[in-house]
Short mmCIF file of all heavy atoms in Angstrom, two decimals:
data_model
loop_
_atom_site.label_atom_id
_atom_site.label_comp_id
_atom_site.label_asym_id
_atom_site.label_seq_id
_atom_site.Cartn_x
_atom_site.Cartn_y
_atom_site.Cartn_z
N ARG Q 1209 -9.81 -9.05 29.19
CA ARG Q 1209 -8.59 -9.92 29.20
C ARG Q 1209 -8.17 -10.29 27.84
O ARG Q 1209 -7.00 -10.65 27.60
CB ARG Q 1209 -8.87 -11.10 30.00
CG ARG Q 1209 -8.85 -10.90 31.47
CD ARG Q 1209 -8.65 -12.18 32.40
NE ARG Q 1209 -9.74 -13.12 32.09
CZ ARG Q 1209 -10.84 -13.15 32.85
NH1 ARG Q 1209 -10.97 -12.31 33.84
NH2 ARG Q 1209 -11.74 -14.03 32.67
N LEU Q 1210 -9.06 -10.20 26.75
CA LEU Q 1210 -8.69 -10.34 25.41
C LEU Q 1210 -7.44 -9.59 24.98
O LEU Q 1210 -6.64 -9.95 24.27
CB LEU Q 1210 -9.80 -10.14 24.42
CG LEU Q 1210 -11.00 -11.15 24.45
CD1 LEU Q 1210 -12.08 -10.68 23.64
CD2 LEU Q 1210 -10.46 -12.49 23.94
N SER Q 1211 -7.39 -8.39 25.59
CA SER Q 1211 -6.35 -7.41 25.24
C SER Q 1211 -5.36 -7.27 26.33
O SER Q 1211 -4.15 -7.39 26.11
CB SER Q 1211 -7.01 -6.02 24.92
OG SER Q 1211 -5.88 -5.05 24.65
N THR Q 1212 -5.81 -7.04 27.55
CA THR Q 1212 -4.90 -6.68 28.68
C THR Q 1212 -4.42 -7.90 29.47
O THR Q 1212 -3.51 -7.76 30.21
CB THR Q 1212 -5.56 -5.61 29.57
OG1 THR Q 1212 -6.84 -6.22 30.08
CG2 THR Q 1212 -5.93 -4.36 28.90
N GLY Q 1213 -5.03 -9.02 29.27
CA GLY Q 1213 -4.63 -10.23 29.99
C GLY Q 1213 -3.23 -10.67 29.51
O GLY Q 1213 -2.87 -10.32 28.40
N ASP Q 1214 -2.58 -11.43 30.34
CA ASP Q 1214 -1.22 -11.93 29.98
C ASP Q 1214 -1.26 -13.40 29.53
O ASP Q 1214 -2.11 -14.16 29.98
CB ASP Q 1214 -0.23 -11.84 31.19
CG ASP Q 1214 -0.01 -10.37 31.61
OD1 ASP Q 1214 0.07 -9.53 30.71
OD2 ASP Q 1214 0.05 -10.03 32.88
N VAL Q 1215 -0.43 -13.60 28.57
CA VAL Q 1215 -0.38 -14.96 28.01
C VAL Q 1215 0.03 -16.00 29.14
O VAL Q 1215 -0.66 -17.07 29.27
CB VAL Q 1215 0.71 -15.10 26.93
CG1 VAL Q 1215 0.82 -16.53 26.42
CG2 VAL Q 1215 0.34 -14.15 25.81
N LEU Q 1216 0.92 -15.75 29.90
CA LEU Q 1216 1.33 -16.56 30.99
C LEU Q 1216 1.16 -15.77 32.33
O LEU Q 1216 1.46 -14.66 32.39
CB LEU Q 1216 2.81 -17.01 30.88
CG LEU Q 1216 3.10 -17.86 29.70
CD1 LEU Q 1216 4.67 -18.17 29.56
CD2 LEU Q 1216 2.45 -19.26 29.68
N PRO Q 1217 0.61 -16.50 33.29
CA PRO Q 1217 0.41 -15.74 34.63
C PRO Q 1217 1.82 -15.23 35.20
O PRO Q 1217 2.71 -15.97 35.20
CB PRO Q 1217 -0.20 -16.89 35.52
CG PRO Q 1217 -0.76 -17.86 34.61
CD PRO Q 1217 0.09 -17.84 33.39
N GLY Q 1218 1.73 -14.02 35.66
CA GLY Q 1218 3.03 -13.45 36.20
C GLY Q 1218 3.98 -12.92 35.17
O GLY Q 1218 5.00 -12.31 35.57
N VAL Q 1219 3.69 -13.09 33.87
CA VAL Q 1219 4.57 -12.58 32.83
C VAL Q 1219 3.87 -11.47 32.14
O VAL Q 1219 2.71 -11.62 31.52
CB VAL Q 1219 5.02 -13.67 31.86
CG1 VAL Q 1219 5.85 -13.15 30.76
CG2 VAL Q 1219 5.63 -14.86 32.50
N ASN Q 1220 4.49 -10.24 32.14
CA ASN Q 1220 3.95 -9.07 31.44
C ASN Q 1220 4.07 -9.20 29.96
O ASN Q 1220 4.93 -8.68 29.43
CB ASN Q 1220 4.60 -7.87 31.99
CG ASN Q 1220 3.98 -6.63 31.36
OD1 ASN Q 1220 2.84 -6.66 30.88
ND2 ASN Q 1220 4.72 -5.55 31.33
#
Side-chain angles (χ1 to χ4, degrees):
R1209 284 198 297 273
L1210 288 174
S1211 176
T1212 57
D1214 295 321
V1215 177
L1216 297 173
V1219 178
N1220 181 22

